[in-house]
């Protein structure tokens, strides 16, 4: 926690100390608020907040508790509340003070400050925090007070329109700079032709006009660069806007001197062009991120869909095409994709995906159900009360099972950028000294050219665009990653663990037969009803093998227990342990059907491997250690040994907790495990693995326990996907090399005086466009085998 260098600044917020100084633990504080925040963090073992960033700490504002009463009113707080069920409330607040990594660290550890806070997550670009609380332990207004105490007072005035306002403002800045640039070029036309000295009066007039139109460019169009540079200098750090701001000022001051000494318009055309092309680059970068649309707004590319009920049947409908009033059907263990009203008589909902609490809640007809709840039991029908989109579920996907990892390339890029900026400023300073002896008049032009051409904007675009494009390409080919951090996690993996049933073997079991006493019509109807809403491959196969049967109404609801079976009143369908049957002597895959303690019979399955595994497994074995883990008997061992290498680990008859334990054991040995399963009995293993990939047979089943979702029919492309992801490192190195070579070459020409500020201004956005084009060429051209 040692970070205070002198006694002249506050340990918490780094403001200058005045007359009244407070001391605690050998640290100096400027006010009681900073001292209290320090005590609060230290008391809850959050001292690492100060280690995240040397500039961590924000001065807390005066707390006005009455201003937060809106959060305790059930009606007034609706626009901030995302979820509310019993004592659990999930709220999203705008916290404009969020500005660095330490802010994220502190806000995502709020649960340590108060046990009424279940969890919290930060959306850094939007400056928002989504907080889930237990209102029996802490009121929402008290959460707002706590946030204010640690320096993050919620802003209730901001709306979702803030993003669009920013775009309009940027376009207005761009328009003013463009108008000034065109006008100054027109007025400077005689200067370009060399006839300006003949008409001195016209020349002076055009110079004054150029100065006049440059004022709004400096004060409005360029103000963001000055604000950013000043903010960075205040906290004693470097950012990309510092050399830009220096270049703008150098060019502008030199031009003003030329105008008011009647030398001519100076470099006002280059100044306006500089701002104009800077803003074009900013607009281009913004559009680039908007097009990629990953992480920044949690939007994913996988097509989550839901069963929509229509007259005469049902269709599969993407959730972002649902309309208010549509009727949807949600099967056992499926996620409810949008806020809805229950049409069925009853439902059992698990909101752990949203709230973090695993309690099941019973709902009755007419009850309101929030998006993100998981249904258990029979299929339920709902009517849509609020439209949604994929990003709503993918935001929950990120928050619920986040394995936060900083991008190594991003971190390395940021470190390189800081050193590069410092070096550029040093080069500009040395160049000005040298040119002071050669031609002092050229110093502003040289400094400006160096600072402009050396701006590492292209370097900053490399990581997000390359990895963002990889994300898009994989998504279009049936492999959907949760975010770009998963790309680097996959690059580090050295062990691949496969689940067997439903992953290596087909879920559509065509070879199935029943052994036991003949099923009565009633038993067949009950069996058909029990398996109608099941998700396990064996249960679905049994359902498909039976003729459609009607079942009389019952007070019982079929409940599927992962790793065991399905219970329905006295009836049980599942493993020998679950039904009370004797273990079969053979290693065949069987599912028992029992009425109480009486075994009615068993279903025997013959497995068949997915197509093209014989080619996929040897390809994976070249780069990964392989393992197979299954809850089934070992009857398929010989079949699997034929396609897997000799050193493969095979484990059978494993319960879900044993699967998770195996993955944990591998990782404790220093391995990075990539687990592939169907998300049914291996959700714990998927979540524990360094990377968990859920295999999906359809678009309806959304698996939040995973880091990636792979369409089952694309499994044979897995080795090709992994090669493409590993190639991402090479793509980044190529983009980095281009950016650095461009900057070094440009600096060489600028220092020698062979590059004017105007040309440097044009080249700067061109470098960004070139990197984007290069990244697109390297990534988008990738083609994968077409799966039919």
């Amino acid at each position: 926690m040692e970070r205070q260098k002198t006694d002249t600044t506050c340990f918490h917020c780094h403001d200058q100390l005045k007359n009244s100084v407070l001391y605690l633990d050998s640290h100096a504080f400027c006010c009681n608020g900073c001292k209290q925040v320090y005590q609060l963090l230290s008391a809850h073992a959050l001292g690492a907040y100060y280690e995240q960033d040397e500039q961590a700490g924000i001065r807390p504002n005066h707390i006005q508790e009455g201003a937060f009463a809106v959060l305790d009113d059930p009606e007034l707080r609706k626009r901030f509340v995302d979820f509310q069920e019993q004592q659990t409330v999930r709220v999203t607040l705008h916290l404009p003070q969020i500005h660095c990594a330490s802010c994220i660290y502190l806000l995502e550890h709020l649960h340590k400050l108060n046990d009424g806070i279940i969890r919290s997550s930060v959306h850094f670009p939007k400056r928002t925090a989504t907080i889930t609380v237990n209102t029996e332990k802490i009121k929402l207004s008290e959460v707002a007070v706590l946030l204010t105490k640690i320096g993050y007072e919620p802003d209730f005035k901001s709306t979702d329109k803030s993003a669009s306002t920013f775009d309009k403002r940027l376009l207005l800045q761009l328009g003013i700079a463009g108008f000034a640039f065109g006008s100054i070029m027109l007025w400077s036309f005689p200067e370009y032709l060399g006839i300006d000295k003949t008409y001195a009066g016209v020349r002076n007039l055009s110079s004054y006009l150029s100065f006049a139109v440059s004022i709004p460019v400096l004060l409005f169009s360029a103000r963001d660069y000055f604000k950013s540079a000043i903010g960075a200098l205040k906290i004693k750090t470097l950012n990309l806007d510092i050399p830009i701001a220096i270049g703008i000022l150098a060019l502008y001051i030199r031009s003003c001197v030329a105008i008011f000494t009647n030398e001519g318009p100076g470099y006002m055309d280059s100044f306006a062009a500089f701002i104009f092309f800077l803003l074009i680059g900013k607009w281009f970068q913004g559009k680039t991120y908007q097009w990629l649309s990953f992480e920044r707004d949690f939007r994913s590319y996988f097509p989550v869909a839901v069963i929509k009920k229509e007259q005469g049947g049902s269709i599969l409908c993407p959730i972002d095409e649902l309309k208010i009033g549509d009727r949807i059907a949600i099967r056992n263990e499926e996620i409810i994709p949008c806020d809805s009203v229950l049409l069925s008589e009853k439902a059992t909902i698990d909101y752990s995906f949203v709230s973090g609490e695993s309690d099941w809640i019973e709902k009755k007809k007419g009850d309101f159900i929030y998006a993100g709840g998981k249904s258990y039991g029979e299929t339920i029908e709902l009517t849509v009360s609020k439209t949604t989109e994929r990003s709503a579920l993918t935001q929950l996907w990120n928050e619920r099972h986040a394995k936060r990892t900083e991008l190594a390339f991003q971190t390395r890029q940021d470190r390189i950028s800081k050193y590069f900026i410092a070096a550029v400023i040093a080069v500009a300073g040395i160049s000005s000294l040298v040119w002071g002896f050669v031609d002092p008049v050229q110093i502003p032009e040289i400094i400006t050219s160096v600072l402009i051409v050396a701006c590492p904007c292209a370097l900053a675009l490399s990581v997000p665009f390359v990895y963002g494009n990889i994300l898009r390409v994989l998504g279009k080919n049936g492999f959907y990653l949760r975010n770009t951090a998963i790309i680097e996690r996959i690059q580090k993996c050295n062990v691949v663990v496969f689940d067997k049933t439903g992953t290596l073997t087909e879920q559509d079991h065509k070879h199935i037969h029943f052994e036991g006493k003949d099923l009565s019509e009633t038993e067949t109807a009950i069996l058909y009803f029990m398996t109608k809403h099941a998700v396990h491959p064996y249960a679905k196969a049994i359902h498909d093998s039976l003729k459609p049967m009607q079942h009389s109404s019952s007070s019982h609801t079929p409940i599927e227990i992962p790793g065991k079976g399905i219970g329905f009143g006295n009836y049980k369908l599942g493993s020998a342990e679950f039904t009370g049957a004797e273990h079969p002597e053979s290693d065949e895959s069987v599912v028992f059907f029992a009425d109480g303690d009486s075994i009615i019979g068993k279903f025997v399955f013959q497995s068949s491997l997915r197509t093209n595994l014989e080619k996929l497994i040897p390809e994976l074995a070249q780069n990964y250690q392989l393992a197979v883990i299954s809850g089934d008997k070992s009857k398929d061992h010989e079949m699997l040994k034929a396609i897997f290498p000799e050193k493969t680990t095979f484990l059978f008859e494993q319960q879900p907790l044993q699967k998770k334990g195996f993955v944990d054991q591998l990782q404790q040995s220093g391995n990075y495990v990539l687990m592939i399963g169907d998300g049914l009995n291996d959700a714990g293993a998927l979540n524990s693995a360094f990377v968990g990939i859920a295999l999906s047979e359809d678009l309806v089943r959304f698996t939040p326990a995973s880091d990636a979702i792979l369409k089952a029919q694309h499994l044979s492309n897995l080795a090709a996907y992994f090669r493409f992801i590993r190639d991402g490192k090479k793509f980044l190195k190529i983009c980095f090399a281009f950016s650095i070579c461009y900057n070094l070459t440009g600096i060489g020409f600028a220092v020698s005086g062979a590059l004017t500020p105007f040309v440097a201004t044009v080249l700067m956005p061109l470098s960004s466009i070139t990197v984007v084009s290069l990244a697109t060429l390297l990534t988008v051209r990738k083609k994968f085998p077409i799966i039919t």
Side-chain angles (χ1 to χ4, degrees):
M1 200 181 289
E2 293 296 331
R3 71 171 192 157
Q4 187 163 325
K5 306 303 181 185
T6 68
D7 287 334
T8 62
T9 59
C10 174
F11 180 78
H12 177 70
C13 72
H14 276 284
D15 278 0
Q16 291 294 318
L17 295 175
K18 298 181 180 178
N19 296 331
S20 57
V21 181
L22 302 175
Y23 291 93
L24 180 66
D25 296 342
S26 302
H27 301 307
F29 300 92
C30 65
C31 64
N32 194 51
C34 288
K35 179 182 174 183
Q36 287 180 349
V37 172
Y38 169 79
Q39 287 178 301
L40 183 66
L41 298 177
S42 299
H44 292 85
L46 284 177
Y49 167 66
Y50 296 105
E51 299 171 6
Q52 298 290 314
D53 190 333
E54 289 189 358
Q55 308 303 329
I58 306 172
R59 176 190 293 274
N61 296 328
H62 179 66
I63 301 174
Q64 299 178 346
E65 298 190 21
F68 304 136
V70 63
L71 293 176
D72 294 329
D73 187 290
E75 290 299 320
L76 296 178
R77 72 186 185 188
K78 281 185 177 179
R79 72 187 185 103
F80 305 108
V81 172
D82 303 320
F83 169 83
Q84 182 173 346
E85 191 65 47
Q86 298 178 350
Q87 74 276 8
T88 303
V89 178
R90 184 172 181 265
V91 62
T92 299
L93 300 174
H94 181 227
L95 309 178
Q97 299 88 349
I98 297 173
H99 73 288
C100 65
S102 59
C103 299
I104 299 174
Y105 172 82
L106 177 57
L107 291 171
E108 293 192 345
H109 287 79
L110 289 177
H111 60 279
K112 290 190 175 183
L113 301 181
N114 191 297
D115 60 0
I117 297 175
I118 299 170
R119 74 167 183 267
S120 54
S121 63
V122 173
H123 191 304
F124 184 77
K126 289 184 178 179
R127 304 294 193 268
T128 60
T130 300
I131 305 169
T132 305
V133 303
N134 183 334
T135 52
E136 288 185 348
K137 297 182 178 180
I138 183 172
K139 296 192 295 185
L140 288 183
S141 60
E142 293 172 342
V143 173
V145 171
L146 174 62
L147 289 169
T148 304
K149 281 184 177 180
I150 61 176
Y152 302 93
E153 182 176 354
D155 178 12
F156 298 113
K157 296 179 181 179
S158 64
T159 65
D160 294 336
K161 296 179 182 179
S162 58
S164 61
T165 303
F166 170 78
D167 290 337
K168 291 179 181 178
R169 183 170 174 273
L170 176 60
L171 291 176
L172 185 59
Q173 290 175 318
L174 185 60
I176 290 174
F179 170 78
F181 173 44
S183 299
I184 295 172
M185 288 281 287
L186 180 63
W187 295 327
S188 301
F189 191 67
E191 194 92 15
Y192 302 144
L193 297 180
I195 61 174
D196 51 292
K197 295 181 181 178
T198 308
Y199 306 96
V202 175
R203 184 190 189 204
N204 291 337
L205 176 62
S206 65
S207 297
Y208 292 134
L209 288 173
S210 298
F211 171 74
V213 298
S214 72
I215 294 175
V217 176
L218 178 72
L219 299 181
F220 178 65
S221 296
R223 64 177 296 182
D224 292 340
Y225 296 100
F226 292 118
K227 286 177 64 177
S228 176
I230 292 171
L233 291 174
K234 278 184 176 180
I235 61 173
K236 301 176 183 178
T237 187
L238 294 175
N239 66 16
L240 295 178
D241 293 329
I242 290 177
I244 292 176
I246 294 173
I248 292 172
L249 283 177
L251 203 57
Y252 190 74
I253 292 172
R254 176 66 183 88
S255 299
C256 289
V257 170
I259 290 172
F260 290 105
T261 57
N262 294 324
E263 293 180 15
Y267 303 104
M268 254 341 154
D269 52 350
S270 295
F271 163 77
F274 183 25
I275 306 300
F276 179 62
F277 284 107
L278 269 177
L279 293 173
I280 286 179
K282 187 175 182 180
W283 173 85
F284 175 76
Q285 186 168 342
K287 285 296 182 182
T288 297
Y289 287 134
Q290 186 178 1
W291 179 66
L292 289 174
S293 193
F294 69 93
E295 282 192 321
R296 192 177 66 138
D297 59 3
F298 295 98
R299 186 165 300 171
S300 183
Y301 303 101
F302 64 88
V304 179
V306 68
I307 298 173
K308 177 182 173 183
K309 306 290 286 188
E310 292 187 341
Q311 289 184 350
S314 58
I315 62 171
L316 201 61
C317 176
I319 66 171
D320 42 9
E321 293 182 11
L322 289 173
K323 299 177 181 177
I324 295 176
D326 284 347
R327 295 180 62 182
I328 58 176
I330 304 296
R331 299 178 299 186
N332 179 40
E333 291 198 31
E334 287 181 356
I335 301 293
I336 298 167
C338 52
D339 293 348
S340 310
V341 175
L342 183 63
L343 295 178
S344 301
E345 292 299 323
K346 59 182 179 177
T348 302
I349 307 297
D350 177 14
Y351 277 122
S352 60
F353 186 28
V354 182
S355 66
E357 302 291 334
S358 58
D359 292 339
W360 289 7
I361 298 173
E362 297 296 329
K363 293 288 185 178
K364 61 181 183 298
K365 186 175 182 178
D367 283 350
F368 185 83
I369 299 179
Y370 284 95
K374 180 186 285 189
S375 174
Y376 281 94
E378 61 183 288
T379 299
I380 60 174
E381 289 192 12
L382 308 101
T383 180
V384 176
S385 62
K386 182 180 178 181
T387 57
T388 187
E389 58 180 14
R390 297 167 201 169
S391 60
L393 286 186
T394 53
Q395 179 172 356
L396 292 176
W397 191 19
N398 274 272
E399 292 174 1
R400 181 69 183 96
H401 295 279
K403 300 169 184 174
R404 299 192 179 276
T405 304
E406 282 192 19
L407 287 172
F409 268 106
Q410 187 79 56
T411 304
R412 195 176 306 133
Q413 167 200 290
D414 293 341
R415 188 167 60 249
I416 292 173
S417 296
K418 287 184 179 180
Y419 290 131
F420 192 81
I421 291 168
V424 167
I425 295 175
V427 169
I430 294 171
S431 300
S432 64
L433 291 175
V434 173
W435 277 90
F437 296 100
V438 179
D439 186 0
V441 178
Q442 298 294 322
I443 290 177
E445 183 174 353
I446 299 300
I447 292 177
T448 305
S449 297
V450 170
L451 295 175
I452 294 173
V453 79
C455 180
C457 298
L459 190 67
L461 270 179
S462 298
V463 172
F465 204 84
V466 170
Y467 276 5
N469 263 331
I470 289 176
L471 212 65
R472 289 176 61 87
V473 171
L474 292 174
K476 288 180 179 179
N477 287 274
F479 190 25
Y480 312 105
L481 305 186
R482 180 159 51 83
N483 54 41
T484 52
I486 305 304
I487 293 175
E488 281 204 348
R489 296 181 79 90
I490 293 176
Q491 289 171 349
K492 294 182 70 173
C493 288
N494 64 321
V495 179
V496 175
V497 177
F498 287 96
D499 172 51
K500 182 183 78 71
T501 307
T503 303
L504 295 175
T505 59
E506 296 283 356
Q507 287 198 11
D508 183 14
H509 296 274
K510 299 181 176 62
H511 307 289
I512 174 176
H513 67 276
F514 180 75
E515 295 180 1
K517 61 183 181 180
D518 293 338
L519 295 172
S520 67
E521 186 172 326
T522 300
E523 291 170 339
T524 304
I526 290 174
L527 189 60
Y528 183 83
F529 180 69
M530 289 176 68
T531 56
K532 180 179 181 180
H533 312 295
V535 293
H536 193 278
Y538 285 172
K540 291 169 71 175
I542 292 172
H543 181 79
D544 294 339
S545 69
L546 300 173
K547 294 180 180 179
M549 301 285 290
Q550 293 294 327
H551 175 68
S552 59
S553 61
S554 171
S555 60
H556 298 291
T557 299
I559 299 297
E560 188 169 2
I561 304 173
K564 295 183 179 180
I566 303 173
F568 177 66
N570 290 328
Y571 289 93
K572 297 178 181 178
L573 179 73
S575 64
E577 293 85 357
F578 182 65
T579 58
E582 293 184 6
H583 286 271
E585 295 181 0
S586 64
D587 289 333
E588 60 189 5
S589 297
V590 296
V591 172
F592 292 93
F593 184 40
D595 180 4
D597 295 330
S598 176
I599 303 300
I600 299 173
K602 64 181 180 180
F603 292 89
V604 182
F605 296 83
Q606 181 179 345
S607 302
S608 58
L609 294 176
R610 292 189 182 273
T611 57
N612 296 324
L613 281 184
E614 298 86 353
K615 179 181 178 183
L616 171 66
I617 300 304
E619 288 186 79
L620 290 175
Q622 295 176 11
N623 298 289
Y624 304 96
Q625 176 186 338
L626 303 181
V628 177
I629 187 167
S630 173
D632 289 345
K633 297 283 186 178
S634 59
K635 72 177 185 67
D636 295 326
H637 190 189
E638 294 301 321
M639 178 175 64
L640 293 172
K641 280 180 64 177
I643 62 172
F644 277 85
E646 292 183 6
K647 296 182 180 180
T648 302
T649 301
F650 292 96
L651 294 175
F652 296 93
E653 300 184 68
Q654 299 294 299
Q655 294 297 314
L657 285 178
Q658 291 175 307
K659 293 182 180 182
K660 180 180 181 300
F662 176 68
V663 170
D664 291 339
Q665 184 180 358
L666 283 173
Q667 296 189 144
Q668 289 168 5
S669 302
N671 295 298
Y672 294 95
V673 177
L674 186 147
M675 172 77 186
I676 305 174
D678 58 9
L680 299 175
N681 299 331
D682 40 36
L686 288 173
N687 197 39
S688 291
F690 193 64
V691 176
I693 300 177
L695 210 64
S696 178
E697 289 286 350
D698 54 47
L699 305 179
V700 180
R701 183 167 177 79
F702 178 69
T703 310
S706 62
D707 299 301
I709 299 175
L710 174 63
K711 285 185 179 179
Q713 62 267 36
H714 292 271
L715 178 63
S716 58
N717 280 344
L718 193 62
Y721 295 148
F722 289 169
R723 281 197 302 271
F724 181 53
I725 288 172
R726 290 196 300 271
D727 286 344
K729 285 185 177 181
K730 292 188 289 187
F731 299 157
L732 279 179
K733 289 177 181 178
I734 292 172
C735 290
F736 279 5
F738 168 80
S739 300
I740 293 172
C741 289
Y742 162 82
N743 286 319
L744 292 177
T745 303
I747 289 173
F749 281 105
V751 168
S752 66
L755 193 65
T756 65
F758 179 78
V759 175
T761 302
V762 175
L763 289 177
M764 189 185 67
L766 285 179
S767 67
S768 298
I769 294 172
T770 304
V771 164
V772 168
S773 302
L774 182 61
T776 303
L777 179 66
L778 292 170
T779 55
V780 178
R781 67 175 183 173
K782 177 66 179 179
K783 302 296 182 183
F784 295 97
I786 298 175
I787 306 297
T788 57

